Amino acid sequence: MTQPKSDPNSDTVDAVILVGGQGTRLRPLTLSAAKPMLPTAGVPFLEHMLSRIHAAGMTHVVLGTSYKAQTFAEYFGDGSAFGLDIEYVVEDEPLGTGGAIRNVADRLRADTAVIFNGDILSGLDLTALLATHRHLAADVTLHLVEVADARAFGSVPTDPDGRVTAFLEKTEHPPTNQINAGCYVFKRSVLEAIPAGRVVSVERETFPGLLESGAVLAGHVDSTYWLDLGTPAAFVTGSADLVRGVAPTAALPGPVGDALILDGASVAATASVIGGSTVGRGVVIEAGAVVDGSVIFDGARVDRDARITRSVIGSDARIGADSIVDDAVIGDRALVGARCELRSGIRVWPDVNLPAGSVRFSTDG
Ligand code: GDD
Ligand code: MG
């Protein structure tokens, strides 16, 4: 890993990553792995995020875990292999985003903490975020981005000085398309004032409460690259953007390009792997197959002339000859027979065996 850029303030800042969510929108992939541990452009998604934190010069990282808590420590250990000092805090019952933040308070070493949602791919300049926080002498500074439709996010209006004026989590009529991008700087004293030992939503309780009490919440707008990888469509987009070098990372296990073929994969000469696809270890792609903008997990097999677009194929799954898989999620070890057609957001559960010629479309929109 490259040497961190020296930001004079970064070693006085703790990084906290919230990774305790169940990733329900990514099922069935998240039945076997937590969302931040899903292989994304060749490594667990979280490794890309940690590479950005390392590059900004932060070294002390606390992971707030709950769902599949042990899998994080198994992979990242004490963090030294990644140039970091990583600690883990486990919630027996999920405490919500605010509860999870409060729950790590006794591990903090500095007076300032940067909190990250663990499913965000972002080009945010962390040094600039910290500079805004200090410049506005804020209690909390929120990274904000513009999206086309804010209904699935926290809508965050600001005044001309960059002060946050309201926080509205997932409302039908958001007042602005400027949204909470899922990265905050907290003064430690403000973080410690979150109630301990119970479920708290930072979005629904802490931020509105702070605004009510007159605290200074600053907005820091940065729109270089931003994506929440919480849905299958976003997951394949984010992975492809990492492979193609559109999304920033220092953890790509190969050169930037149109495809990432990992060690031990075999791709037939007449097969085509394009659009930022990742082909995992031990995968076999047979002659004439097309894999476009997709993620093929380790050990899967794509038979001849099958066509996979914008999809995720789980570990050790098999896609039969001449099948079409478009905008779909195929669970681990599932067997899709020859000449099947799977489209429009369909999800095939692990170990399912689809007979040849099956046609499936999603009905859940
Ligand atoms: N430790 C812990 N405990 N982590 C949690 C818990 C919990 O109980 N609940 C959620 N998390 C983590 C998730 O793992 C994820 O990394 C992060 O908190 C946010 O949860 P999501 O479930 O991904 O929330 P969201 O995407 O619907 O909305 C959030 O992110 C949007 C930006 O992508 C909100 O913060 C929105 O306001 C924001 O706009
Ligand atoms: Mg999310």
Side-chain angles (χ1 to χ4, degrees):
M1 217 172 242
T2 50
Q3 273 305 104
K5 267 187 245 146
S6 57
D7 166 11
N9 296 313
S10 54
D11 59 345
T12 60
V13 173
D14 296 301
V16 174
I17 312 182
L18 305 179
V19 292
Q22 300 208 2
T24 46
R25 287 167 298 173
L26 276 172
R27 281 183 190 158
L29 301 173
T30 44
L31 295 176
S32 56
K35 175 163 61 171
M37 291 304 290
L38 288 175
T40 316
V43 295
F45 174 72
L46 188 59
E47 195 170 333
H48 296 291
M49 185 174 252
L50 289 171
S51 80
R52 299 277 302 159
I53 289 170
H54 178 268
M58 294 181 210
T59 50
H60 181 225
V61 179
V62 186
L63 296 189
T65 68
S66 171
Y67 181 66
K68 300 207 179 286
Q70 73 291 351
T71 56
F72 294 93
E74 278 163 18
Y75 186 87
F76 291 105
D78 66 1
S80 53
F82 304 87
L84 298 168
D85 173 0
I86 302 181
E87 288 190 69
Y88 304 86
V89 177
V90 182
E91 296 151 42
D92 298 330
E93 294 294 326
L95 289 170
T97 47
I101 295 170
R102 177 62 180 86
N103 199 42
V104 306
D106 64 355
R107 307 297 181 95
L108 301 180
R109 299 174 187 168
D111 287 332
T112 307
V114 185
I115 318 294
F116 298 86
N117 283 357
D119 60 349
I120 303 294
L121 194 50
S122 158
L124 170 66
D125 179 341
L126 290 166
T127 306
L129 175 77
L130 286 162
T132 297
H133 182 70
R134 294 195 173 98
H135 179 67
L136 293 181
D139 293 304
V140 179
T141 301
L142 292 82
H143 173 207
L144 306 176
V145 294
E146 285 275 339
V147 293
D149 182 352
R151 285 176 299 174
F153 302 101
S155 174
V156 186
T158 46
D159 71 14
D161 299 325
R163 298 263 200 105
V164 171
T165 55
F167 193 110
L168 294 117
E169 180 71 3
K170 298 182 181 123
T171 51
E172 255 322 290
H173 302 288
T176 167
N177 282 351
Q178 179 173 274
I179 61 140
N180 167 28
C183 177
Y184 328 112
V185 187
F186 262 82
K187 253 188 205 166
R188 183 177 178 159
S189 55
V190 175
L191 186 156
E192 284 170 343
I194 297 171
R198 69 163 170 90
V199 174
V200 179
S201 162
V202 78
E203 297 89 351
R204 295 180 194 277
E205 184 176 340
T206 309
F207 293 144
L210 283 168
L211 287 168
E212 185 102 333
S213 71
V216 177
L217 270 64
H220 176 85
V221 180
D222 174 315
S223 313
T224 43
Y225 179 96
W226 187 85
L227 190 64
D228 175 326
L229 269 78
T231 63
F235 180 76
V236 292
T237 299
S239 183
D241 284 347
L242 284 162
V243 169
R244 295 183 299 140
V246 176
T249 178
L252 196 67
V256 161
D258 215 26
L260 176 64
I261 315 285
L262 298 176
D263 290 347
S266 143
V267 179
T270 56
S272 156
V273 180
I274 54 175
S277 295
T278 298
V279 176
R281 292 167 191 82
V283 167
V284 174
I285 312 279
E286 287 192 350
V290 175
V291 176
D292 187 359
S294 296
V295 184
I296 317 288
F297 287 177
D298 291 354
R301 187 177 179 98
V302 177
D303 290 349
R304 63 172 175 73
D305 296 320
R307 204 180 169 87
I308 320 275
T309 44
R310 293 184 298 276
S311 295
V312 186
I313 310 296
S315 310
D316 300 312
R318 179 163 186 173
I319 309 299
D322 295 305
S323 282
I324 293 173
V325 178
D326 179 39
D327 189 18
V329 176
I330 310 297
D332 297 339
R333 302 171 306 278
L335 299 177
V336 174
R339 301 178 311 284
C340 287
E341 199 180 320
L342 308 174
R343 295 185 191 266
S344 314
I346 188 79
R347 297 164 195 233
V348 174
W349 243 240
D351 299 303
V352 163
N353 191 345
L354 281 183
S358 304
V359 177
R360 299 274 192 284
F361 296 79
S362 175
T363 49
D364 63 13

